[in-house]
Amino acid sequence: MALACPALEYLKLGGAFPILTQGVKYPKIHWPTLHTLELTMNHNPTTEKAAASDATYLSDYFSLFSIPIVHTFTFESRWPVAWEGFCSAAPVLRSTFASIHTLRFSMMGEGPFPDAHPELFDAFPELRYFTITAHDDRTFRSCLHPWISHLVDGTSASWPKLVLLTLRTTTT
């Protein structure tokens, strides 16, 4: 698919998380023109098997991409296990999505969601627009508290270019 769409600019994947076999070297998916990527990871038998079999699943998945100019990234899941994997993928996110300036998280499940790793926030140094959509205030705290704590004590980078922080609570 990637080879058939070399000029692709916008990609929205819902549930497109294949099971990756450990030890297999997968080719990079190059999209040099992609500027927007939206991923939705739902709790279904395929993603459950993938995430349960390998704690580094999302790191491995994100490392498949080569998208140097992507500037808008959306990650949505109602599944706390997906968020744990997403947060632990911070080093890969930093190298794969270094030019991100718009980041959107949607955590609409009723959790409990794991606390975000401070490294996750350091992974997006060019961030200008950050939106979190969550089911409740507890989810906001699990996402923002580690970042605020590490920012205050000086162990985490700030977002000097951030101009808009949007927090949305939506009931399901």
Side-chain angles (χ1 to χ4, degrees):
M1 177 181 80
L3 295 175
C5 306
L8 191 66
E9 294 181 3
Y10 186 101
L11 179 61
K12 185 173 185 174
L13 297 172
F17 290 85
I19 295 174
L20 302 174
T21 304
Q22 290 182 2
V24 173
K25 180 90 170 144
Y26 293 95
K28 286 256 187 215
I29 300 169
H30 297 280
W31 275 308
T33 57
L34 191 72
H35 61 73
T36 301
L37 177 62
E38 292 187 22
L39 297 176
T40 301
M41 186 174 202
N42 296 319
H43 186 186
N44 60 45
T46 302
T47 56
E48 184 174 354
K49 183 176 180 183
S53 67
D54 184 6
T56 63
Y57 173 75
L58 279 174
S59 291
D60 295 343
Y61 180 80
F62 290 132
S63 68
L64 294 176
F65 294 107
S66 173
I67 42 181
I69 68 163
V70 69
H71 58 74
T72 300
F73 180 50
T74 300
F75 188 79
E76 176 181 333
S77 185
R78 297 174 174 263
W79 190 30
V81 172
W83 283 100
E84 182 62 36
F86 184 83
C87 289
S88 65
V92 172
L93 292 169
R94 183 176 183 103
S95 64
T96 304
F97 303 113
S99 60
I100 292 293
H101 65 71
T102 301
L103 182 61
R104 298 183 189 113
F105 290 162
S106 181
M107 301 178 279
M108 292 308 300
E110 294 195 30
F113 287 93
D115 280 355
H117 300 211
E119 297 83 20
L120 177 64
F121 299 103
D122 294 339
F124 303 104
E126 298 298 314
L127 197 62
R128 292 183 212 125
Y129 309 98
F130 185 32
T131 300
I132 303 172
T133 303
H135 179 72
D136 56 25
D137 291 342
R138 179 181 50 165
T139 303
F140 287 130
R141 285 191 297 276
S142 71
C143 188
L144 291 176
H145 184 264
W147 172 61
I148 293 169
S149 295
H150 287 271
L151 184 63
V152 169
D153 70 13
T155 59
S156 180
S158 65
W159 289 321
K161 298 178 183 179
L162 190 71
V163 295
L164 179 63
L165 174 62
T166 304
L167 306 174
R168 294 184 182 133
T169 302
T170 306
T171 58
T172 54

